[in-house]
Amino acid sequence: MQIAIIGLGRMGGNIARRLMKNGHECLVYDRSVETVAALSGEGAVPAASLGELAAKFSGRKVFWVMLPAGDPTEATIRDLAGLCAPGDVIIDGGNSFYKDDIRRAKELEPSGIAYVDVGTSGGVWGLERGYCMMIGGPEETVRDLDPIFAALAPGYGDIARTHGRDAPDDRAERGYIHAGPAGAGHFVKMVHNGIEYGLMQAYAEGFDILASKNSEHLPADERFALNLPDIAEVWRRGSVVSSWLLDLTADALASDHSLERFSGRVADSGEGRWTIDAAMEEAVPAHVLSAALYARYRSRSDNTFGDKLLSAMRFGFGGHVEIPQ
Amino acid sequence: MQIAIIGLGRMGGNIARRLMKNGHECLVYDRSVETVAALSGEGAVPAASLGELAAKFSGRKVFWVMLPAGDPTEATIRDLAGLCAPGDVIIDGGNSFYKDDIRRAKELEPSGIAYVDVGTSGGVWGLERGYCMMIGGPEETVRDLDPIFAALAPGYGDIARTHGRDAPDDRAERGYIHAGPAGAGHFVKMVHNGIEYGLMQAYAEGFDILASKNSEHLPADERFALNLPDIAEVWRRGSVVSSWLLDLTADALASDHSLERFSGRVADSGEGRWTIDAAMEEAVPAHVLSAALYARYRSRSDNTFGDKLLSAMRFGFGGHVEIPQ
Amino acid sequence: MQIAIIGLGRMGGNIARRLMKNGHECLVYDRSVETVAALSGEGAVPAASLGELAAKFSGRKVFWVMLPAGDPTEATIRDLAGLCAPGDVIIDGGNSFYKDDIRRAKELEPSGIAYVDVGTSGGVWGLERGYCMMIGGPEETVRDLDPIFAALAPGYGDIARTHGRDAPDDRAERGYIHAGPAGAGHFVKMVHNGIEYGLMQAYAEGFDILASKNSEHLPADERFALNLPDIAEVWRRGSVVSSWLLDLTADALASDHSLERFSGRVADSGEGRWTIDAAMEEAVPAHVLSAALYARYRSRSDNTFGDKLLSAMRFGFGGHVEIPQ
Amino acid sequence: MQIAIIGLGRMGGNIARRLMKNGHECLVYDRSVETVAALSGEGAVPAASLGELAAKFSGRKVFWVMLPAGDPTEATIRDLAGLCAPGDVIIDGGNSFYKDDIRRAKELEPSGIAYVDVGTSGGVWGLERGYCMMIGGPEETVRDLDPIFAALAPGYGDIARTHGRDAPDDRAERGYIHAGPAGAGHFVKMVHNGIEYGLMQAYAEGFDILASKNSEHLPADERFALNLPDIAEVWRRGSVVSSWLLDLTADALASDHSLERFSGRVADSGEGRWTIDAAMEEAVPAHVLSAALYARYRSRSDNTFGDKLLSAMRFGFGGHVEIPQ
């Protein structure tokens, strides 16, 4: 199938590569001429502008936009809409907010342009392992694009079958789902990332408790100098907490026991925050998911105004002068 | 009434002063000779040792121990027990863990010594405002000591009467209660401090959100440079969040708008932690009270091992290199 | 000053009354004819429509809209805008989202209509105690309306002066502030409510720990049957946790020790949620404020899908069958 | 190696079976005669009392106690100590609190009895998959017992090697570690369970947000009726949140889409609570791990006193009467 990939960063470039490896024809565009040239050298059809990209399609145009969420994606989709005819497809494979998808699908509908949103997980490992995809959009369009999704997905692999599963639709087992109408793909991906933050924070807190068990503030006979790389490793074997994130933890600890190379300042992206917004709208308690996010916020501050206020109150009622510990 | 005060720090010294002001005879002991001498100059009967202190009683001995919780209090109570006769009273007015009270009361019972625990709130303001006291111990002993408690308590003052209150016992309205058997006093005081942490953290987070509303990360037309001293002040007038802690907040902000004099490293004491232990034992959800405690822990670290682990995982699955913000 | 009040519910009606008591002339409108008639009987000038209301002004028109946030407020402001001339003022005294204020002020600016948002705290007690107000809008307009705000505010009252306060502007001490441009008033009020939720939840958790201390799951010698009304009462006297919310708690417990009349299902309003949204946008950790909100969500569910999922996982890895406790 | 297993429940019985399958000689005791007889039929040497059990050893005695933590384990270890000679070994393979291990090891040391604690993960799957073990105790004893641990552990299996791992000790890769002195094994297992609770709650909250996205309280065009079994399934393929717990989630949802068979009342065991106690002692923030525990507490209550108190306060300041939603 002919498909254009717009945005050839880490994700977009590898998506093009995996599609070409599976026999699809990729037209590619990026604002970096060098990046386009590189992909061209690997077999992609280069374009120097969105217009040129559109012109290179032989039939129905399918655009896969793989750009940062927000303005870059928004502007590109607007420009592409002007290059589309009824029946053409615009796919947002980035990390857009799902309400933007709902809006865009409505805006494009009168022009007969189908809008599809694809939440994509897999990171730098996707080229090799395949991409886990959560897709929103019209039933028919998603079916039409199935060869694309099937090529990008990991496939059955050697993962054990789920017990009792007898769904006629085996796409989930091959690594992609049609989650619902426009927005549903990014919504599911958004919650995926919210969960991811919660899982990560659970490991982080647990390992922190392990690492701090040798603190001199504890009674001498209750201190343990624990071997964290070994603990991560052993939990990978038959324990309830085994996971891919634990595998990565074991990887990281194996070569850097005290993780000295990391500053401890942790970024977060929109999905985690939007997950909390969704919990608010649905009135669902999400203590863990929001705590995970707050821990990242806190990691980026040396101290907070709120903490100073606590000290100020303590000074007010007790004459306490805080002494750094 | 004759009463001995052991430990003449900020709290113990003022308790002696308030008792003397109300006509009680205070025998005083502290390991600092100067401190004893100072109180003696204000009318207290000095003693150079616990033995001398005991010897100065003309009748039933009543000891009020006002020392740091843990070893100092434990050792002193053990020593005092050896100086007591049946009918004498030992009061722990410090911040002991309530299970220690339960144990001590049992240990002293065979000797006929009555054990009373008094949780005391009021801080540096107690001398002037009076002390709010939560008392545990035998009914009869607590009744016997009533003149002491009545003198220390704030009394009715000009606080508006509670609607619908018709309890025959007006001690609560005068600022002290007999909460139950040994341990109950410190238990109630402990939960009081747990709540205190939660209240403080609620203000801290709220003012943090106000203070950060002028952040350059926000869209320009959504930034406000808010006047925090004025906000604290106005909330003291007819708003739902008015409280003594808010009064202290207004005090602090009035003279130091950005609280620059505080480092943002906030101490915590045993009561907050024990409150969480109690919640655990009772299976009561205490999200807010534990979050308040964790915020203080976090305030004392520059970064955590857990945060580094998050970065390590992020690097593992996405190749993300964290950039300090 | 002539002022129109639109919406004569609990809040709007009392605002009109307090203004009239202070010599202002109130034009009133409500969709309920009876309510308008009642206020008219107390001295207000009645109107049967917004148009009639506007026509009754002798000079500059000042409208105070006191309606539920969202559609009712939005529609009314749109209608009023059509009745305004340059120099007229529309005040939203309800609980609007502050970003709606920012937008409305921009929309009205070309017509020369001044937009003012007033966050109002005080509830059913405002008529008597006065209203604590947080105001957003143009400097000059807020100054012009000062007689209105001064009349509604509690004034100095007998509240102790804040130490070290020497601000030339004494409005905060009289119970109202000009927080900033349009939206700033509701923003400050929003955070006020966020804090309110946190404070309330801190008390709720603490009293829950007290109430559960008599549970049969605890060792017999560690149980206390605590007198909650007395505890709330005593904490009102000289303790660190004294507050107006604690006063209300003491009121409630005095006449209903076990609060049997309440179902335990607790509502929440937009401000709490928006406060969390603001924390997200500002990257401020707000563990306590969000936990307070989640507790309310949870209070309204018998059980959650998430809880069932926990049981399902437990069954999966351990064969555990959950037994209700 | 000769080893006695005391307690032949789900875990103890399978441990005996796996040991026998690997050529070890198992002496078995349980207070249920039938259970002993059943294991005897599978090749174990039965005993009718601890004394008889001890008498059947031909040389050094090694007891593996697999009983509920607390009194049953404590009493049995005390009884076994009376049957031991210097050089014998008592292993606690249950879920004891690690501070009990530290104490017991000290108590047994004068008698020359070696005490070993083994935290064991694997649940009902252990017989087949092997048990992940975290071991505390004297270096030499743990080395001596290595054939036992090696037989119980999962071994390398087909799990991918951790990158960069070059530890000389490969026990972690075979599924067991010597974590440190007595108590260290159960400490690591305890934190493991704390993490497990956090991970589970992260999934629970995420799936709750997905399940509630079809709520009638949401705007119609923002509702999605999501296929949860498919979502769990697809996340097993190449996504960041893949894990064994997710596999179990997919299993559960495949056959029971709405999990109707579960009441939503979720039990918790000591390890989760002790993990929070440890976090308290170490002053480590553990928002996620404690929130996970609180969610379980809350799941077992229809409503809380705290929630009623919230309603009581709301009634007090606003006249709000809560209406069940």
PDB file of all heavy atoms in Angstrom, chain B residues 145-165:
ATOM      1  N   LEU B 145      -6.819  15.192  90.035  1.00  0.00           N
ATOM      2  CA  LEU B 145      -5.872  16.174  89.486  1.00  0.00           C
ATOM      3  C   LEU B 145      -6.579  17.342  88.817  1.00  0.00           C
ATOM      4  O   LEU B 145      -5.932  18.214  88.224  1.00  0.00           O
ATOM      5  CB  LEU B 145      -4.953  15.483  88.463  1.00  0.00           C
ATOM      6  CG  LEU B 145      -4.041  14.361  88.984  1.00  0.00           C
ATOM      7  CD1 LEU B 145      -3.337  13.677  87.809  1.00  0.00           C
ATOM      8  CD2 LEU B 145      -3.007  14.929  89.960  1.00  0.00           C
ATOM      9  N   ASP B 146      -7.887  17.370  88.900  1.00  0.00           N
ATOM     10  CA  ASP B 146      -8.636  18.364  88.136  1.00  0.00           C
ATOM     11  C   ASP B 146      -8.151  19.805  88.350  1.00  0.00           C
ATOM     12  O   ASP B 146      -8.070  20.562  87.377  1.00  0.00           O
ATOM     13  CB  ASP B 146     -10.134  18.263  88.426  1.00  0.00           C
ATOM     14  CG  ASP B 146     -10.939  19.031  87.404  1.00  0.00           C
ATOM     15  OD1 ASP B 146     -11.028  18.566  86.245  1.00  0.00           O
ATOM     16  OD2 ASP B 146     -11.426  20.136  87.729  1.00  0.00           O
ATOM     17  N   PRO B 147      -7.801  20.199  89.572  1.00  0.00           N
ATOM     18  CA  PRO B 147      -7.332  21.588  89.737  1.00  0.00           C
ATOM     19  C   PRO B 147      -6.114  21.910  88.866  1.00  0.00           C
ATOM     20  O   PRO B 147      -5.959  23.033  88.382  1.00  0.00           O
ATOM     21  CB  PRO B 147      -6.988  21.654  91.223  1.00  0.00           C
ATOM     22  CG  PRO B 147      -7.825  20.581  91.873  1.00  0.00           C
ATOM     23  CD  PRO B 147      -7.913  19.487  90.854  1.00  0.00           C
ATOM     24  N   ILE B 148      -5.261  20.914  88.686  1.00  0.00           N
ATOM     25  CA  ILE B 148      -4.088  21.113  87.821  1.00  0.00           C
ATOM     26  C   ILE B 148      -4.528  21.353  86.382  1.00  0.00           C
ATOM     27  O   ILE B 148      -4.118  22.330  85.724  1.00  0.00           O
ATOM     28  CB  ILE B 148      -3.169  19.856  87.879  1.00  0.00           C
ATOM     29  CG1 ILE B 148      -2.627  19.643  89.283  1.00  0.00           C
ATOM     30  CG2 ILE B 148      -2.065  19.933  86.840  1.00  0.00           C
ATOM     31  CD1 ILE B 148      -1.719  20.744  89.765  1.00  0.00           C
ATOM     32  N   PHE B 149      -5.379  20.459  85.882  1.00  0.00           N
ATOM     33  CA  PHE B 149      -5.793  20.565  84.483  1.00  0.00           C
ATOM     34  C   PHE B 149      -6.595  21.849  84.240  1.00  0.00           C
ATOM     35  O   PHE B 149      -6.421  22.532  83.236  1.00  0.00           O
ATOM     36  CB  PHE B 149      -6.605  19.332  84.081  1.00  0.00           C
ATOM     37  CG  PHE B 149      -5.830  18.051  84.181  1.00  0.00           C
ATOM     38  CD1 PHE B 149      -6.350  16.943  84.863  1.00  0.00           C
ATOM     39  CD2 PHE B 149      -4.560  17.944  83.628  1.00  0.00           C
ATOM     40  CE1 PHE B 149      -5.630  15.762  84.962  1.00  0.00           C
ATOM     41  CE2 PHE B 149      -3.830  16.760  83.723  1.00  0.00           C
ATOM     42  CZ  PHE B 149      -4.365  15.665  84.396  1.00  0.00           C
ATOM     43  N   ALA B 150      -7.466  22.160  85.199  1.00  0.00           N
ATOM     44  CA  ALA B 150      -8.293  23.364  85.043  1.00  0.00           C
ATOM     45  C   ALA B 150      -7.418  24.611  84.957  1.00  0.00           C
ATOM     46  O   ALA B 150      -7.714  25.553  84.206  1.00  0.00           O
ATOM     47  CB  ALA B 150      -9.282  23.471  86.201  1.00  0.00           C
ATOM     48  N   ALA B 151      -6.329  24.603  85.737  1.00  0.00           N
ATOM     49  CA  ALA B 151      -5.442  25.770  85.736  1.00  0.00           C
ATOM     50  C   ALA B 151      -4.675  25.894  84.421  1.00  0.00           C
ATOM     51  O   ALA B 151      -4.427  27.000  83.926  1.00  0.00           O
ATOM     52  CB  ALA B 151      -4.460  25.682  86.902  1.00  0.00           C
ATOM     53  N   LEU B 152      -4.295  24.767  83.877  1.00  0.00           N
ATOM     54  CA  LEU B 152      -3.504  24.802  82.639  1.00  0.00           C
ATOM     55  C   LEU B 152      -4.364  25.094  81.415  1.00  0.00           C
ATOM     56  O   LEU B 152      -3.886  25.651  80.427  1.00  0.00           O
ATOM     57  CB  LEU B 152      -2.766  23.469  82.445  1.00  0.00           C
ATOM     58  CG  LEU B 152      -1.596  23.223  83.399  1.00  0.00           C
ATOM     59  CD1 LEU B 152      -1.043  21.809  83.201  1.00  0.00           C
ATOM     60  CD2 LEU B 152      -0.487  24.248  83.169  1.00  0.00           C
ATOM     61  N   ALA B 153      -5.601  24.699  81.454  1.00  0.00           N
ATOM     62  CA  ALA B 153      -6.468  24.796  80.269  1.00  0.00           C
ATOM     63  C   ALA B 153      -6.821  26.244  79.958  1.00  0.00           C
ATOM     64  O   ALA B 153      -6.752  27.107  80.824  1.00  0.00           O
ATOM     65  CB  ALA B 153      -7.734  23.978  80.497  1.00  0.00           C
ATOM     66  N   PRO B 154      -7.217  26.497  78.727  1.00  0.00           N
ATOM     67  CA  PRO B 154      -7.569  27.860  78.316  1.00  0.00           C
ATOM     68  C   PRO B 154      -8.833  28.365  78.989  1.00  0.00           C
ATOM     69  O   PRO B 154      -9.007  29.574  79.144  1.00  0.00           O
ATOM     70  CB  PRO B 154      -7.800  27.735  76.799  1.00  0.00           C
ATOM     71  CG  PRO B 154      -7.186  26.443  76.400  1.00  0.00           C
ATOM     72  CD  PRO B 154      -7.222  25.552  77.599  1.00  0.00           C
ATOM     73  N   GLY B 155      -9.741  27.471  79.349  1.00  0.00           N
ATOM     74  CA  GLY B 155     -11.029  27.921  79.864  1.00  0.00           C
ATOM     75  C   GLY B 155     -11.964  28.331  78.742  1.00  0.00           C
ATOM     76  O   GLY B 155     -11.596  28.267  77.564  1.00  0.00           O
ATOM     77  N   TYR B 156     -13.154  28.767  79.120  1.00  0.00           N
ATOM     78  CA  TYR B 156     -14.166  29.111  78.110  1.00  0.00           C
ATOM     79  C   TYR B 156     -13.683  30.189  77.145  1.00  0.00           C
ATOM     80  O   TYR B 156     -13.898  30.111  75.945  1.00  0.00           O
ATOM     81  CB  TYR B 156     -15.446  29.599  78.795  1.00  0.00           C
ATOM     82  CG  TYR B 156     -16.341  28.492  79.260  1.00  0.00           C
ATOM     83  CD1 TYR B 156     -16.336  28.064  80.579  1.00  0.00           C
ATOM     84  CD2 TYR B 156     -17.200  27.854  78.356  1.00  0.00           C
ATOM     85  CE1 TYR B 156     -17.177  27.041  81.000  1.00  0.00           C
ATOM     86  CE2 TYR B 156     -18.040  26.838  78.777  1.00  0.00           C
ATOM     87  CZ  TYR B 156     -18.028  26.428  80.107  1.00  0.00           C
ATOM     88  OH  TYR B 156     -18.848  25.429  80.506  1.00  0.00           O
ATOM     89  N   GLY B 157     -13.022  31.195  77.672  1.00  0.00           N
ATOM     90  CA  GLY B 157     -12.580  32.298  76.826  1.00  0.00           C
ATOM     91  C   GLY B 157     -13.759  32.918  76.111  1.00  0.00           C
ATOM     92  O   GLY B 157     -14.900  32.844  76.582  1.00  0.00           O
ATOM     93  N   ASP B 158     -13.508  33.520  74.957  1.00  0.00           N
ATOM     94  CA  ASP B 158     -14.611  34.170  74.242  1.00  0.00           C
ATOM     95  C   ASP B 158     -14.979  33.380  72.991  1.00  0.00           C
ATOM     96  O   ASP B 158     -15.500  33.938  72.021  1.00  0.00           O
ATOM     97  CB  ASP B 158     -14.224  35.609  73.879  1.00  0.00           C
ATOM     98  CG  ASP B 158     -12.916  35.655  73.105  1.00  0.00           C
ATOM     99  OD1 ASP B 158     -12.326  34.570  72.848  1.00  0.00           O
ATOM    100  OD2 ASP B 158     -12.468  36.756  72.761  1.00  0.00           O
ATOM    101  N   ILE B 159     -14.681  32.081  73.021  1.00  0.00           N
ATOM    102  CA  ILE B 159     -15.013  31.244  71.868  1.00  0.00           C
ATOM    103  C   ILE B 159     -16.510  30.941  71.882  1.00  0.00           C
ATOM    104  O   ILE B 159     -17.066  30.596  72.922  1.00  0.00           O
ATOM    105  CB  ILE B 159     -14.180  29.941  71.916  1.00  0.00           C
ATOM    106  CG1 ILE B 159     -12.701  30.287  71.735  1.00  0.00           C
ATOM    107  CG2 ILE B 159     -14.656  28.957  70.871  1.00  0.00           C
ATOM    108  CD1 ILE B 159     -11.765  29.124  71.903  1.00  0.00           C
ATOM    109  N   ALA B 160     -17.138  31.091  70.713  1.00  0.00           N
ATOM    110  CA  ALA B 160     -18.589  30.890  70.619  1.00  0.00           C
ATOM    111  C   ALA B 160     -18.962  29.472  71.046  1.00  0.00           C
ATOM    112  O   ALA B 160     -18.237  28.515  70.748  1.00  0.00           O
ATOM    113  CB  ALA B 160     -19.043  31.155  69.189  1.00  0.00           C
ATOM    114  N   ARG B 161     -20.074  29.343  71.765  1.00  0.00           N
ATOM    115  CA  ARG B 161     -20.537  28.025  72.174  1.00  0.00           C
ATOM    116  C   ARG B 161     -20.923  27.186  70.958  1.00  0.00           C
ATOM    117  O   ARG B 161     -21.428  27.707  69.959  1.00  0.00           O
ATOM    118  CB  ARG B 161     -21.776  28.153  73.085  1.00  0.00           C
ATOM    119  CG  ARG B 161     -21.520  28.787  74.448  1.00  0.00           C
ATOM    120  CD  ARG B 161     -20.683  27.899  75.352  1.00  0.00           C
ATOM    121  NE  ARG B 161     -21.261  26.599  75.639  1.00  0.00           N
ATOM    122  CZ  ARG B 161     -22.116  26.350  76.643  1.00  0.00           C
ATOM    123  NH1 ARG B 161     -22.488  27.322  77.445  1.00  0.00           N
ATOM    124  NH2 ARG B 161     -22.579  25.132  76.840  1.00  0.00           N
ATOM    125  N   THR B 162     -20.676  25.890  71.054  1.00  0.00           N
ATOM    126  CA  THR B 162     -21.087  24.958  70.015  1.00  0.00           C
ATOM    127  C   THR B 162     -22.608  24.793  70.069  1.00  0.00           C
ATOM    128  O   THR B 162     -23.179  24.673  71.148  1.00  0.00           O
ATOM    129  CB  THR B 162     -20.384  23.608  70.246  1.00  0.00           C
ATOM    130  OG1 THR B 162     -19.004  23.776  69.941  1.00  0.00           O
ATOM    131  CG2 THR B 162     -20.984  22.509  69.393  1.00  0.00           C
ATOM    132  N   HIS B 163     -23.239  24.805  68.890  1.00  0.00           N
ATOM    133  CA  HIS B 163     -24.694  24.674  68.825  1.00  0.00           C
ATOM    134  C   HIS B 163     -25.126  23.275  69.244  1.00  0.00           C
ATOM    135  O   HIS B 163     -24.544  22.290  68.814  1.00  0.00           O
ATOM    136  CB  HIS B 163     -25.190  24.945  67.408  1.00  0.00           C
ATOM    137  CG  HIS B 163     -24.794  26.283  66.903  1.00  0.00           C
ATOM    138  ND1 HIS B 163     -25.450  27.423  67.241  1.00  0.00           N
ATOM    139  CD2 HIS B 163     -23.751  26.662  66.111  1.00  0.00           C
ATOM    140  CE1 HIS B 163     -24.861  28.467  66.657  1.00  0.00           C
ATOM    141  NE2 HIS B 163     -23.822  28.025  65.973  1.00  0.00           N
ATOM    142  N   GLY B 164     -26.129  23.214  70.065  1.00  0.00           N
ATOM    143  CA  GLY B 164     -26.727  21.916  70.390  1.00  0.00           C
ATOM    144  C   GLY B 164     -25.949  21.120  71.408  1.00  0.00           C
ATOM    145  O   GLY B 164     -26.271  19.958  71.681  1.00  0.00           O
ATOM    146  N   ARG B 165     -24.909  21.706  71.961  1.00  0.00           N
ATOM    147  CA  ARG B 165     -24.112  20.953  72.920  1.00  0.00           C
ATOM    148  C   ARG B 165     -24.798  20.976  74.283  1.00  0.00           C
ATOM    149  O   ARG B 165     -25.065  22.034  74.847  1.00  0.00           O
ATOM    150  CB  ARG B 165     -22.720  21.567  73.037  1.00  0.00           C
ATOM    151  CG  ARG B 165     -21.819  20.751  73.932  1.00  0.00           C
ATOM    152  CD  ARG B 165     -20.368  21.144  73.898  1.00  0.00           C
ATOM    153  NE  ARG B 165     -19.674  20.388  74.934  1.00  0.00           N
ATOM    154  CZ  ARG B 165     -19.151  19.195  74.770  1.00  0.00           C
ATOM    155  NH1 ARG B 165     -19.195  18.625  73.587  1.00  0.00           N
ATOM    156  NH2 ARG B 165     -18.585  18.557  75.776  1.00  0.00           N
TER     157      ARG B 165
END
